[in-house]
Amino acid sequence: ENATSGVGVESEGVIEAENATFGVGVGSEGGSEAENATSGVGVESEGVVQAENTSAPEKPSQSPFPSSIPSSPPSSSSQPISSPPVTSTQRPSSSSQPSISPSIASTRLPSVSPSSGVLSDSPSGLPSSAPSQAEPSSVFPNDREIDFGVGGLTFARKAYRIAGIPAGPYTSIMCQLKDDPSLLLVESKEKGSAVTLFAFVDFPSDKVDPTPIYAELEYMGSGISTTRNHLLFIFSGLMKVVPNTVKSVLQMMGESKMENHIVDTLDMFISVWPSLEYEQMFNDAWRLLRDYFYDTNMNGIDWVQMHTRYKDLVKRCSKREELDNVLAQMAAELSALHVFVYGGEYSDPMHGDEKLKKINQIASLGASFERSVEYKGYIVTSVANRDPDYNLMDGKAIYSPLSDKVMELSGQRGLEKGDVIVGINGESVMRVPDMHMLLRGMAGRSVRLDVLRQPATRRELQNITETGEGDFKPKPVIAVPLSQKDGDNVRYAAWEWGTREKAQSLAKAKGFSVGYIHMRSMSGPADMDAFARGFFSDYDKQALIIDVRHNRGGNIDSWLLDILQRKAWMFFQGRATNVNNGGLGWDQQFAFRGHIVVLIDEKTSSDGEGFSRGVSELGLGRLVGKRTWGGGIWLSSDNHLVDGGIATAPEIGTYNDNFGWGLGIEQQGVEPDVEVDNNPRVAFDGRDQQLEKAVEVLDQWLKEEPLVQPKPPAAKRDMSLPVDVENCAAK
């Protein structure tokens, strides 16, 4: 009550902060009061502590900071406050030093060097460039061992009880109850996730009873407090906090709906001082790079000096984007390619309003256009058409809204190259700087397009007015535009299909068959699906082109290389199987027996480069194109900052006997066996010189080393009776 910047925190007890100026009260399993405190701190553990009229050391009166946030570097003797816990019978006097329990994490402060202002966990106040330097012991409780509730047995015998938990897609162990061996596990479900309590039946039984918690509600998250005293659950937008005990969990499970112990999140706020948060994130980014970077010597860079060089720039940052610039410059000193700075809390011109974002997003018609003053509209130059063999791709059926594939569903005819759009929703497209301005906020909504079908005679064009009046009037067409992201995907898929058709056409002209696969990235199921679609339908071709140009990386290179390394060691032939090639088949199944070319360019990055290097090192194929990006130190992107942003650390060094560290990729890139660049003007006109060279390389390769079809033995076994069976001695 009447608190000025007073903070009261309680756990299993009561705390009051009255007339406090920067007063802090923290309680755990008991009660705490801080009254009329000036920069006073009252903390208790398993008891009660009160701090009344506590005075603090004098400090400049103009400082607006609470005692836990220094406005200027203190003396070099500044040390973290630490003393034994205050018991329920102890009561500090007004002249004594405030007592802080070491189990309270929020009260431990790093020391600050008066000369450099560098926050550090080391006693000297200076950061260390050696990741191996021992950090001070943690102020958090040590991890407790899992207890299976059985005494007098070996750990192996007790731990065997966990085998009673049925197998399932568990994503995490939320916790073990504090007073019982029961476990709370988070399990992935068909729709979302769920929390299940697994209770161990009394020994000697190994049985485990699973009970879902609020199974009818939508699970959104869960957690456990630092002290492990409390559990937090979020279901259907409601946050619930209960003690970490069997009694509390059973009471919660007995509720038909969430009613008790609900946190008022509507009035939950956090106060952030941006300049101080920027300093914290800078220090954290520096430390995380120090501790995560694959080379303990930091590529020979004096990492302490880098902190000193850039820390003063942080004080001049007025927004998050400027901090990103500083972090990027500092991280770039390592000269490693897998350093990225992104994410975090940026200013949002839409203020987080999804409706406002949607109405300002430009929708896509999935086609290319050319503005024409003569036609008084926009001429369709191409309509993106993807592979018609796949109605569904990665679970989504997406085609250009102007294609026949979509228009025929409503009894309309799709637009073709040369058709002209002269109006959208009754408004002339010539009255705005760009036609797409009339498609703002229209993704997923029906729009009317006024279309002039080709061909139109010169006389008809002369009679067209901007409003569509005259002897020749445009015809209305109803279309449903896509989001910009889906529109980009349609155009990308159309390019993939067109390039595949072009590769097969070029190969056919030279007299051999070829398969074509384009890998956008190496990032998981979607890219594995892309490889499967392209490979398993063409595994029996004479040649294969794997296109990793513009590949954004990922981590599935080993899976791809494993498939490509399959060898045919035996053959089989049937009269009713594989009718297209005379019944021929082989094992290992789907082993590719032809020649492989991998297309690379300067935007082939990360795992796209690792895959390319693997193809070369394993002798699986040849590389055609341009030298790649050059990122040979891998990362997992898990060193995030407090606001969700990150300055990624290249964490995993790669090497082999031929190239050493970096596989000849880091800062160098993978060099192609045959170098060829795509001339921009020629590419704009529709030619792909790198693809053409790949077909030439394969053609020459097949002439030098033709793919020989195995010949079966000349004669099959003759199991008929001998001619002289009548004279057989066995008769």
Side-chain angles (χ1 to χ4, degrees):
E1 300 174 1
N2 303 316
T4 303
S5 300
V7 179
V9 181
E10 72 84 22
S11 175
E12 286 286 323
V14 180
I15 177 171
E16 298 178 1
E18 299 180 357
N19 303 314
T21 302
F22 304 123
V24 179
V26 179
S28 176
E29 301 285 348
S32 173
E33 295 179 356
E35 300 178 358
N36 305 313
T38 302
S39 299
V41 180
V43 181
E44 70 84 24
S45 176
E46 302 291 341
V48 179
V49 61
Q50 295 177 332
E52 299 178 355
N53 302 315
T54 304
S55 61
E58 294 184 2
K59 62 176 67 178
S61 59
Q62 69 273 19
S63 173
F65 300 102
S67 59
S68 61
I69 306 177
S71 58
S72 60
S75 64
S76 59
S77 62
S78 174
Q79 296 292 331
I81 303 173
S82 179
S83 62
V86 181
T87 66
S88 58
T89 58
Q90 290 177 312
R91 188 180 184 88
S93 65
S94 59
S95 61
S96 63
Q97 175 72 18
S99 177
I100 306 298
S101 168
S103 66
I104 305 300
S106 60
T107 59
R108 189 190 186 285
L109 304 178
S111 57
V112 184
S113 168
S115 60
S116 65
V118 176
L119 287 171
S120 173
D121 290 333
S122 61
S124 65
L126 294 175
S128 170
S129 61
S132 60
Q133 179 178 342
E135 298 284 358
S137 59
S138 172
V139 297
F140 297 105
N142 293 327
D143 291 338
R144 59 187 292 243
E145 295 183 2
I146 293 180
D147 179 14
F148 295 97
V150 182
L153 297 176
T154 64
F155 176 79
R157 181 63 186 92
K158 292 187 293 184
Y160 184 76
R161 306 186 78 198
I162 204 169
I165 297 178
Y170 305 108
T171 57
S172 66
I173 300 176
M174 178 181 168
C175 73
Q176 184 175 48
L177 299 185
K178 199 169 184 181
D179 58 352
D180 188 84
S182 299
L183 292 170
L184 285 168
L185 304 184
V186 180
E187 184 177 4
S188 177
K189 297 291 186 180
E190 184 176 350
K191 294 183 178 179
S193 300
V195 176
T196 303
L197 174 70
F198 291 91
F200 292 95
V201 178
D202 292 341
F203 185 80
S205 173
D206 288 332
K207 184 179 179 182
V208 179
D209 289 333
T211 306
I213 297 179
Y214 294 130
E216 68 282 1
L217 300 179
E218 179 190 4
Y219 171 81
M220 301 178 68
S222 59
I224 183 170
S225 66
T226 304
T227 58
R228 292 190 292 269
N229 290 331
H230 287 81
L231 305 175
L232 178 146
F233 301 91
I234 304 177
F235 288 94
S236 301
L238 297 177
M239 182 184 295
K240 185 184 186 76
V241 176
V242 298
N244 182 14
T245 62
V246 174
K247 179 180 178 181
S248 298
V249 173
L250 290 178
Q251 288 178 347
M252 179 179 66
M253 295 170 61
E255 298 175 356
S256 59
K257 57 182 180 179
M258 292 180 65
E259 292 180 331
N260 303 317
H261 303 286
I262 305 300
V263 178
D264 182 9
T265 56
L266 294 178
D267 293 324
M268 183 181 291
F269 302 95
I270 183 171
S271 178
V272 176
W273 197 299
S275 59
L276 295 179
E277 187 177 59
Y278 293 167
E279 290 185 25
Q280 175 192 340
M281 288 193 286
F282 173 79
N283 289 322
D284 286 345
W286 179 87
R287 287 192 185 103
L288 289 168
L289 283 166
R290 176 196 68 186
D291 295 343
Y292 278 67
F293 191 62
Y294 90 106
D295 179 12
T296 58
N297 194 40
M298 305 301 285
N299 276 357
I301 303 299
D302 185 343
W303 199 236
V304 175
Q305 179 60 32
M306 293 305 102
H307 187 283
T308 304
R309 174 180 296 180
Y310 290 101
K311 66 182 178 62
D312 288 337
L313 295 177
V314 179
K315 300 176 182 178
R316 303 174 63 178
C317 294
S318 60
K319 56 183 180 180
R320 185 62 172 81
E321 290 83 352
E322 293 176 350
L323 176 64
D324 274 358
N325 290 337
V326 176
L327 295 180
Q329 291 181 53
M330 178 181 70
E333 297 282 357
L334 293 172
S335 298
L337 270 291
H338 271 106
V339 173
F340 310 110
V341 177
Y342 61 90
E345 297 174 345
Y346 303 109
S347 299
D348 183 3
M350 302 300 171
H351 310 289
D353 189 326
E354 294 300 323
K355 184 177 180 180
L356 192 60
K357 290 181 181 179
K358 185 174 181 179
I359 63 175
N360 281 280
Q361 288 178 348
I362 304 297
S364 171
L365 292 172
S368 299
F369 305 93
E370 180 180 337
R371 194 173 191 269
S372 172
V373 175
E374 180 183 16
Y375 281 78
K376 299 181 175 63
Y378 282 75
I379 303 173
V380 177
T381 57
S382 68
V383 177
N385 286 308
R386 62 194 306 168
D387 193 339
D389 288 341
Y390 296 101
N391 289 324
L392 288 176
M393 187 168 288
D394 298 327
K396 299 180 70 175
I398 301 178
Y399 301 90
S400 167
L402 305 184
S403 66
D404 273 327
K405 194 81 173 179
V406 173
M407 288 292 186
E408 65 183 6
L409 299 177
S410 57
Q412 303 179 96
R413 181 164 63 91
L415 271 65
E416 300 175 354
K417 181 178 180 180
D419 290 343
V420 184
I421 298 177
V422 297
I424 297 179
N425 286 338
E427 186 169 353
S428 171
V429 296
M430 303 301 286
R431 292 182 176 177
V432 291
D434 187 276
M435 175 184 75
H436 293 88
M437 293 181 66
L438 301 177
L439 295 175
R440 282 190 302 182
M442 300 306 295
R445 302 172 62 184
S446 296
V447 298
R448 168 179 163 163
L449 305 177
D450 296 319
V451 179
L452 174 64
R453 298 285 186 175
Q454 287 294 317
T457 66
R458 177 67 57 180
R459 181 184 60 80
E460 290 170 338
L461 291 176
Q462 292 174 348
N463 290 331
I464 298 174
T465 66
E466 289 187 1
T467 58
E469 298 173 352
D471 298 335
F472 188 83
K473 293 185 178 180
K475 302 295 189 296
V477 172
I478 304 301
V480 181
L482 303 170
S483 68
Q484 195 65 54
K485 180 179 179 180
D486 287 341
D488 291 344
N489 183 55
V490 166
R491 292 167 63 111
Y492 200 146
W495 175 85
E496 289 175 309
W497 181 50
T499 306
R500 178 174 181 265
E501 293 286 294
K502 189 180 300 181
Q504 293 179 341
S505 175
L506 291 170
K508 184 177 180 180
K510 292 184 177 293
F512 67 94
S513 60
V514 68
Y516 172 86
I517 308 168
H518 177 70
M519 300 295 295
R520 303 186 188 188
S521 65
M522 306 278 192
S523 298
D527 296 305
M528 296 172 80
D529 288 347
F531 181 83
R533 282 193 297 266
F535 178 80
F536 292 108
S537 59
D538 287 335
Y539 79 97
D540 55 352
K541 296 292 193 294
Q542 294 172 278
L544 178 64
I545 298 174
I546 303 178
D547 189 348
V548 292
R549 293 176 295 179
H550 284 64
N551 187 283
R552 301 187 299 273
N555 59 1
I556 64 171
D557 63 292
S558 59
W559 181 74
L560 303 182
L561 294 171
D562 177 62
I563 294 175
L564 296 177
Q565 287 185 89
R566 294 179 181 178
K567 301 294 183 182
W569 67 273
M570 58 88 76
F571 299 87
F572 51 85
Q573 192 171 30
R575 298 175 65 186
T577 58
N578 297 335
V579 295
N580 293 328
N581 64 355
L584 181 67
W586 53 83
D587 203 10
Q588 297 174 325
Q589 291 186 353
F590 299 109
F592 183 73
R593 301 175 52 244
H595 299 312
I596 299 174
V597 162
V598 176
L599 284 174
I600 59 176
D601 67 3
E602 64 278 6
K603 292 189 177 180
T604 300
S605 59
S606 193
D607 202 40
E609 298 176 281
F611 168 76
S612 303
R613 178 64 80 204
V615 168
S616 178
E617 287 290 279
L618 295 171
L620 299 175
R622 299 174 183 175
L623 309 180
V624 174
K626 293 291 290 182
R627 182 168 60 91
T628 62
W629 174 61
I633 309 172
W634 295 352
L635 76 170
S636 56
S637 300
D638 51 9
N639 54 315
H640 288 274
L641 304 176
V642 68
D643 71 343
I646 191 173
T648 62
E651 306 171 39
I652 306 163
T654 59
Y655 62 91
N656 70 0
D657 291 338
N658 287 343
F659 292 97
W661 284 108
L663 293 175
I665 298 174
E666 179 64 25
Q667 300 187 34
Q668 300 176 53
V670 178
E671 293 282 354
D673 298 311
V674 180
E675 184 172 4
V676 58
D677 199 1
N678 270 342
N679 182 286
R681 177 68 240 186
V682 174
F684 181 80
D685 291 336
R687 285 184 58 194
D688 189 336
Q689 293 169 292
Q690 291 173 335
L691 181 69
E692 293 171 0
K693 177 58 71 173
V695 173
E696 290 179 15
V697 169
L698 288 169
D699 181 44
Q700 183 62 32
W701 197 354
L702 284 167
K703 291 177 180 178
E704 296 171 357
E705 302 176 26
L707 180 62
V708 179
Q709 294 290 358
K711 294 182 179 181
K716 297 180 175 64
R717 296 181 64 183
D718 185 358
M719 300 300 293
S720 64
L721 291 175
V723 175
D724 59 346
V725 66
E726 294 298 330
N727 300 319
C728 180
K731 182 178 178 182

